[in-house]
Amino acid sequence: MKNDISHNNILNKEIKFYIIGFFISFILTIIPFILVIKKKYFYSKNFLLIVLVLSACLQILVHLKYFLHLNFSKKNYWNLIFLIFSIIVIFIIILGSVWIMWNLHHNLSNY
């Protein structure tokens, strides 16, 4: 009986955690969507770009915390190291590809 109560309590906390993450993600999606729809009425392109990038970065952090349960505890240390390593590899691939394409464009544009 006592285990059932503690299990339900833990389950309720997890559900609340997911619901909070869902609503924050929903808000971080709706705000840029509305701004893009109404951009010709109120906002400059620079402001819109800043809000879009900021919203995307915040949404990545929300997903990492609320849905992937990543934090800086010792329990998640290796998961965090793997995530940082993956981000570094992705940046190397993307920046290397852009660098190669720019060099190809620069070297072949003379012909």
mmCIF file of all heavy atoms in Angstrom, residues 23-50:
data_model
loop_
_atom_site.group_PDB
_atom_site.id
_atom_site.type_symbol
_atom_site.label_atom_id
_atom_site.label_comp_id
_atom_site.label_asym_id
_atom_site.label_seq_id
_atom_site.Cartn_x
_atom_site.Cartn_y
_atom_site.Cartn_z
ATOM 1 N N PHE A 23 3.897 22.865 -22.196
ATOM 2 C CA PHE A 23 3.370 24.220 -22.297
ATOM 3 C C PHE A 23 4.463 25.246 -22.593
ATOM 4 O O PHE A 23 4.236 26.179 -23.373
ATOM 5 C CB PHE A 23 2.585 24.602 -21.035
ATOM 6 C CG PHE A 23 1.201 24.030 -21.023
ATOM 7 C CD1 PHE A 23 0.816 23.153 -20.027
ATOM 8 C CD2 PHE A 23 0.289 24.349 -22.008
ATOM 9 C CE1 PHE A 23 -0.455 22.617 -20.016
ATOM 10 C CE2 PHE A 23 -0.988 23.825 -22.010
ATOM 11 C CZ PHE A 23 -1.365 22.949 -21.005
ATOM 12 N N ILE A 24 5.628 25.079 -22.010
ATOM 13 C CA ILE A 24 6.726 25.998 -22.324
ATOM 14 C C ILE A 24 7.117 25.853 -23.799
ATOM 15 O O ILE A 24 7.324 26.850 -24.500
ATOM 16 C CB ILE A 24 7.933 25.756 -21.396
ATOM 17 C CG1 ILE A 24 7.570 26.115 -19.960
ATOM 18 C CG2 ILE A 24 9.141 26.562 -21.858
ATOM 19 C CD1 ILE A 24 8.638 25.747 -18.948
ATOM 20 N N SER A 25 7.195 24.624 -24.291
ATOM 21 C CA SER A 25 7.523 24.396 -25.708
ATOM 22 C C SER A 25 6.447 24.969 -26.614
ATOM 23 O O SER A 25 6.743 25.548 -27.666
ATOM 24 C CB SER A 25 7.674 22.899 -25.984
ATOM 25 O OG SER A 25 8.767 22.391 -25.300
ATOM 26 N N PHE A 26 5.204 24.814 -26.208
ATOM 27 C CA PHE A 26 4.092 25.340 -26.992
ATOM 28 C C PHE A 26 4.172 26.863 -27.083
ATOM 29 O O PHE A 26 4.026 27.443 -28.170
ATOM 30 C CB PHE A 26 2.765 24.908 -26.355
ATOM 31 C CG PHE A 26 1.556 25.336 -27.119
ATOM 32 C CD1 PHE A 26 1.224 24.710 -28.308
ATOM 33 C CD2 PHE A 26 0.758 26.359 -26.656
ATOM 34 C CE1 PHE A 26 0.109 25.105 -29.030
ATOM 35 C CE2 PHE A 26 -0.360 26.768 -27.363
ATOM 36 C CZ PHE A 26 -0.680 26.136 -28.556
ATOM 37 N N ILE A 27 4.446 27.513 -25.973
ATOM 38 C CA ILE A 27 4.566 28.979 -25.963
ATOM 39 C C ILE A 27 5.753 29.426 -26.806
ATOM 40 O O ILE A 27 5.655 30.396 -27.569
ATOM 41 C CB ILE A 27 4.672 29.496 -24.513
ATOM 42 C CG1 ILE A 27 3.331 29.321 -23.806
ATOM 43 C CG2 ILE A 27 5.114 30.945 -24.479
ATOM 44 C CD1 ILE A 27 3.388 29.542 -22.318
ATOM 45 N N LEU A 28 6.879 28.699 -26.690
ATOM 46 C CA LEU A 28 8.067 29.053 -27.470
ATOM 47 C C LEU A 28 7.888 28.762 -28.960
ATOM 48 O O LEU A 28 8.688 29.206 -29.780
ATOM 49 C CB LEU A 28 9.298 28.321 -26.934
ATOM 50 C CG LEU A 28 9.814 28.826 -25.594
ATOM 51 C CD1 LEU A 28 10.923 27.917 -25.084
ATOM 52 C CD2 LEU A 28 10.298 30.255 -25.694
ATOM 53 N N THR A 29 6.867 28.002 -29.326
ATOM 54 C CA THR A 29 6.546 27.776 -30.728
ATOM 55 C C THR A 29 5.547 28.809 -31.226
ATOM 56 O O THR A 29 5.678 29.323 -32.344
ATOM 57 C CB THR A 29 5.968 26.362 -30.927
ATOM 58 O OG1 THR A 29 6.919 25.408 -30.462
ATOM 59 C CG2 THR A 29 5.647 26.094 -32.381
ATOM 60 N N ILE A 30 4.565 29.131 -30.421
ATOM 61 C CA ILE A 30 3.499 30.049 -30.833
ATOM 62 C C ILE A 30 4.011 31.481 -30.984
ATOM 63 O O ILE A 30 3.615 32.181 -31.924
ATOM 64 C CB ILE A 30 2.331 29.986 -29.818
ATOM 65 C CG1 ILE A 30 1.619 28.646 -29.926
ATOM 66 C CG2 ILE A 30 1.345 31.118 -30.032
ATOM 67 C CD1 ILE A 30 0.991 28.374 -31.265
ATOM 68 N N ILE A 31 4.874 31.930 -30.084
ATOM 69 C CA ILE A 31 5.362 33.321 -30.142
ATOM 70 C C ILE A 31 6.039 33.623 -31.482
ATOM 71 O O ILE A 31 5.661 34.584 -32.158
ATOM 72 C CB ILE A 31 6.279 33.637 -28.946
ATOM 73 C CG1 ILE A 31 5.451 33.676 -27.656
ATOM 74 C CG2 ILE A 31 7.027 34.943 -29.149
ATOM 75 C CD1 ILE A 31 6.273 33.793 -26.399
ATOM 76 N N PRO A 32 7.017 32.832 -31.939
ATOM 77 C CA PRO A 32 7.620 33.138 -33.253
ATOM 78 C C PRO A 32 6.621 32.976 -34.406
ATOM 79 O O PRO A 32 6.670 33.730 -35.375
ATOM 80 C CB PRO A 32 8.755 32.131 -33.391
ATOM 81 C CG PRO A 32 9.025 31.645 -32.042
ATOM 82 C CD PRO A 32 7.757 31.766 -31.280
ATOM 83 N N PHE A 33 5.727 32.011 -34.293
ATOM 84 C CA PHE A 33 4.733 31.793 -35.348
ATOM 85 C C PHE A 33 3.854 33.029 -35.521
ATOM 86 O O PHE A 33 3.638 33.502 -36.639
ATOM 87 C CB PHE A 33 3.890 30.564 -35.001
ATOM 88 C CG PHE A 33 2.902 30.186 -36.058
ATOM 89 C CD1 PHE A 33 3.318 29.590 -37.227
ATOM 90 C CD2 PHE A 33 1.552 30.430 -35.873
ATOM 91 C CE1 PHE A 33 2.406 29.248 -38.211
ATOM 92 C CE2 PHE A 33 0.636 30.090 -36.838
ATOM 93 C CZ PHE A 33 1.060 29.500 -38.016
ATOM 94 N N ILE A 34 3.381 33.579 -34.419
ATOM 95 C CA ILE A 34 2.540 34.782 -34.475
ATOM 96 C C ILE A 34 3.349 35.975 -34.993
ATOM 97 O O ILE A 34 2.843 36.771 -35.791
ATOM 98 C CB ILE A 34 1.914 35.067 -33.095
ATOM 99 C CG1 ILE A 34 0.883 33.990 -32.761
ATOM 100 C CG2 ILE A 34 1.273 36.450 -33.057
ATOM 101 C CD1 ILE A 34 0.348 34.067 -31.357
ATOM 102 N N LEU A 35 4.590 36.100 -34.539
ATOM 103 C CA LEU A 35 5.413 37.216 -35.006
ATOM 104 C C LEU A 35 5.680 37.141 -36.505
ATOM 105 O O LEU A 35 5.723 38.165 -37.184
ATOM 106 C CB LEU A 35 6.726 37.269 -34.237
ATOM 107 C CG LEU A 35 6.633 37.671 -32.764
ATOM 108 C CD1 LEU A 35 8.005 37.632 -32.126
ATOM 109 C CD2 LEU A 35 6.012 39.030 -32.614
ATOM 110 N N VAL A 36 5.869 35.944 -37.030
ATOM 111 C CA VAL A 36 6.099 35.795 -38.469
ATOM 112 C C VAL A 36 4.833 36.135 -39.247
ATOM 113 O O VAL A 36 4.887 36.777 -40.300
ATOM 114 C CB VAL A 36 6.591 34.365 -38.801
ATOM 115 C CG1 VAL A 36 6.538 34.090 -40.285
ATOM 116 C CG2 VAL A 36 8.001 34.166 -38.278
ATOM 117 N N ILE A 37 3.689 35.722 -38.731
ATOM 118 C CA ILE A 37 2.427 36.037 -39.404
ATOM 119 C C ILE A 37 2.182 37.546 -39.417
ATOM 120 O O ILE A 37 1.752 38.108 -40.408
ATOM 121 C CB ILE A 37 1.252 35.295 -38.726
ATOM 122 C CG1 ILE A 37 1.340 33.805 -39.021
ATOM 123 C CG2 ILE A 37 -0.084 35.834 -39.218
ATOM 124 C CD1 ILE A 37 0.315 32.982 -38.282
ATOM 125 N N LYS A 38 2.468 38.216 -38.309
ATOM 126 C CA LYS A 38 2.190 39.648 -38.171
ATOM 127 C C LYS A 38 3.403 40.533 -38.457
ATOM 128 O O LYS A 38 3.411 41.696 -38.087
ATOM 129 C CB LYS A 38 1.692 39.947 -36.748
ATOM 130 C CG LYS A 38 0.483 39.162 -36.328
ATOM 131 C CD LYS A 38 -0.736 39.660 -37.031
ATOM 132 C CE LYS A 38 -1.959 38.907 -36.513
ATOM 133 N NZ LYS A 38 -3.165 39.322 -37.165
ATOM 134 N N LYS A 39 4.435 40.013 -39.097
ATOM 135 C CA LYS A 39 5.686 40.759 -39.243
ATOM 136 C C LYS A 39 5.531 42.050 -40.032
ATOM 137 O O LYS A 39 6.215 43.021 -39.760
ATOM 138 C CB LYS A 39 6.762 39.886 -39.863
ATOM 139 C CG LYS A 39 6.577 39.614 -41.329
ATOM 140 C CD LYS A 39 7.708 38.777 -41.865
ATOM 141 C CE LYS A 39 7.415 38.439 -43.316
ATOM 142 N NZ LYS A 39 8.400 37.585 -43.867
ATOM 143 N N LYS A 40 4.652 42.089 -40.980
ATOM 144 C CA LYS A 40 4.549 43.304 -41.788
ATOM 145 C C LYS A 40 3.847 44.438 -41.049
ATOM 146 O O LYS A 40 3.911 45.577 -41.471
ATOM 147 C CB LYS A 40 3.853 43.014 -43.103
ATOM 148 C CG LYS A 40 2.450 42.493 -42.981
ATOM 149 C CD LYS A 40 1.904 42.186 -44.357
ATOM 150 C CE LYS A 40 0.556 41.495 -44.228
ATOM 151 N NZ LYS A 40 0.023 41.111 -45.509
ATOM 152 N N TYR A 41 3.226 44.131 -39.937
ATOM 153 C CA TYR A 41 2.512 45.171 -39.200
ATOM 154 C C TYR A 41 3.356 45.837 -38.115
ATOM 155 O O TYR A 41 3.222 47.012 -37.858
ATOM 156 C CB TYR A 41 1.249 44.595 -38.547
ATOM 157 C CG TYR A 41 0.262 44.049 -39.548
ATOM 158 C CD1 TYR A 41 -0.006 42.697 -39.599
ATOM 159 C CD2 TYR A 41 -0.376 44.891 -40.447
ATOM 160 C CE1 TYR A 41 -0.910 42.194 -40.522
ATOM 161 C CE2 TYR A 41 -1.272 44.400 -41.375
ATOM 162 C CZ TYR A 41 -1.538 43.037 -41.400
ATOM 163 O OH TYR A 41 -2.416 42.550 -42.307
ATOM 164 N N PHE A 42 4.210 45.071 -37.439
ATOM 165 C CA PHE A 42 4.824 45.601 -36.224
ATOM 166 C C PHE A 42 6.347 45.588 -36.202
ATOM 167 O O PHE A 42 6.955 46.501 -35.689
ATOM 168 C CB PHE A 42 4.353 44.810 -34.996
ATOM 169 C CG PHE A 42 2.874 44.858 -34.794
ATOM 170 C CD1 PHE A 42 2.106 43.738 -35.002
ATOM 171 C CD2 PHE A 42 2.255 46.029 -34.388
ATOM 172 C CE1 PHE A 42 0.738 43.779 -34.803
ATOM 173 C CE2 PHE A 42 0.896 46.077 -34.192
ATOM 174 C CZ PHE A 42 0.129 44.952 -34.406
ATOM 175 N N TYR A 43 6.990 44.535 -36.677
ATOM 176 C CA TYR A 43 8.372 44.276 -36.308
ATOM 177 C C TYR A 43 9.317 44.363 -37.492
ATOM 178 O O TYR A 43 8.957 44.086 -38.621
ATOM 179 C CB TYR A 43 8.486 42.883 -35.670
ATOM 180 C CG TYR A 43 7.512 42.689 -34.558
ATOM 181 C CD1 TYR A 43 6.398 41.881 -34.721
ATOM 182 C CD2 TYR A 43 7.679 43.340 -33.360
ATOM 183 C CE1 TYR A 43 5.500 41.709 -33.696
ATOM 184 C CE2 TYR A 43 6.788 43.188 -32.329
ATOM 185 C CZ TYR A 43 5.692 42.367 -32.500
ATOM 186 O OH TYR A 43 4.806 42.223 -31.487
ATOM 187 N N SER A 44 10.577 44.707 -37.175
ATOM 188 C CA SER A 44 11.610 44.727 -38.204
ATOM 189 C C SER A 44 12.159 43.310 -38.394
ATOM 190 O O SER A 44 11.942 42.423 -37.571
ATOM 191 C CB SER A 44 12.742 45.672 -37.791
ATOM 192 O OG SER A 44 13.433 45.145 -36.679
ATOM 193 N N LYS A 45 12.888 43.112 -39.467
ATOM 194 C CA LYS A 45 13.458 41.793 -39.751
ATOM 195 C C LYS A 45 14.506 41.407 -38.718
ATOM 196 O O LYS A 45 14.614 40.236 -38.360
ATOM 197 C CB LYS A 45 14.054 41.762 -41.148
ATOM 198 C CG LYS A 45 13.021 41.761 -42.235
ATOM 199 C CD LYS A 45 13.682 41.653 -43.594
ATOM 200 C CE LYS A 45 12.631 41.645 -44.679
ATOM 201 N NZ LYS A 45 13.215 41.527 -46.007
ATOM 202 N N ASN A 46 15.285 42.371 -38.254
ATOM 203 C CA ASN A 46 16.318 42.067 -37.250
ATOM 204 C C ASN A 46 15.699 41.608 -35.941
ATOM 205 O O ASN A 46 16.168 40.644 -35.335
ATOM 206 C CB ASN A 46 17.200 43.294 -37.015
ATOM 207 C CG ASN A 46 18.072 43.604 -38.199
ATOM 208 O OD1 ASN A 46 18.372 42.728 -38.998
ATOM 209 N ND2 ASN A 46 18.456 44.853 -38.330
ATOM 210 N N PHE A 47 14.656 42.295 -35.502
ATOM 211 C CA PHE A 47 13.970 41.889 -34.276
ATOM 212 C C PHE A 47 13.378 40.496 -34.429
ATOM 213 O O PHE A 47 13.478 39.659 -33.529
ATOM 214 C CB PHE A 47 12.871 42.899 -33.922
ATOM 215 C CG PHE A 47 12.056 42.499 -32.731
ATOM 216 C CD1 PHE A 47 12.572 42.616 -31.454
ATOM 217 C CD2 PHE A 47 10.773 42.005 -32.889
ATOM 218 C CE1 PHE A 47 11.831 42.239 -30.351
ATOM 219 C CE2 PHE A 47 10.019 41.621 -31.798
ATOM 220 C CZ PHE A 47 10.551 41.746 -30.525
ATOM 221 N N LEU A 48 12.767 40.242 -35.575
ATOM 222 C CA LEU A 48 12.154 38.942 -35.834
ATOM 223 C C LEU A 48 13.207 37.832 -35.828
ATOM 224 O O LEU A 48 12.988 36.766 -35.245
ATOM 225 C CB LEU A 48 11.423 38.985 -37.164
ATOM 226 C CG LEU A 48 10.606 37.770 -37.540
ATOM 227 C CD1 LEU A 48 9.491 37.552 -36.539
ATOM 228 C CD2 LEU A 48 10.042 37.927 -38.924
ATOM 229 N N LEU A 49 14.343 38.091 -36.448
ATOM 230 C CA LEU A 49 15.412 37.096 -36.482
ATOM 231 C C LEU A 49 15.943 36.809 -35.082
ATOM 232 O O LEU A 49 16.171 35.642 -34.724
ATOM 233 C CB LEU A 49 16.538 37.572 -37.399
ATOM 234 C CG LEU A 49 17.682 36.600 -37.613
ATOM 235 C CD1 LEU A 49 17.187 35.355 -38.323
ATOM 236 C CD2 LEU A 49 18.783 37.258 -38.394
ATOM 237 N N ILE A 50 16.119 37.844 -34.272
ATOM 238 C CA ILE A 50 16.597 37.659 -32.901
ATOM 239 C C ILE A 50 15.607 36.840 -32.086
ATOM 240 O O ILE A 50 15.989 35.909 -31.364
ATOM 241 C CB ILE A 50 16.867 39.026 -32.241
ATOM 242 C CG1 ILE A 50 18.089 39.681 -32.867
ATOM 243 C CG2 ILE A 50 17.061 38.885 -30.747
ATOM 244 C CD1 ILE A 50 18.285 41.123 -32.473
#
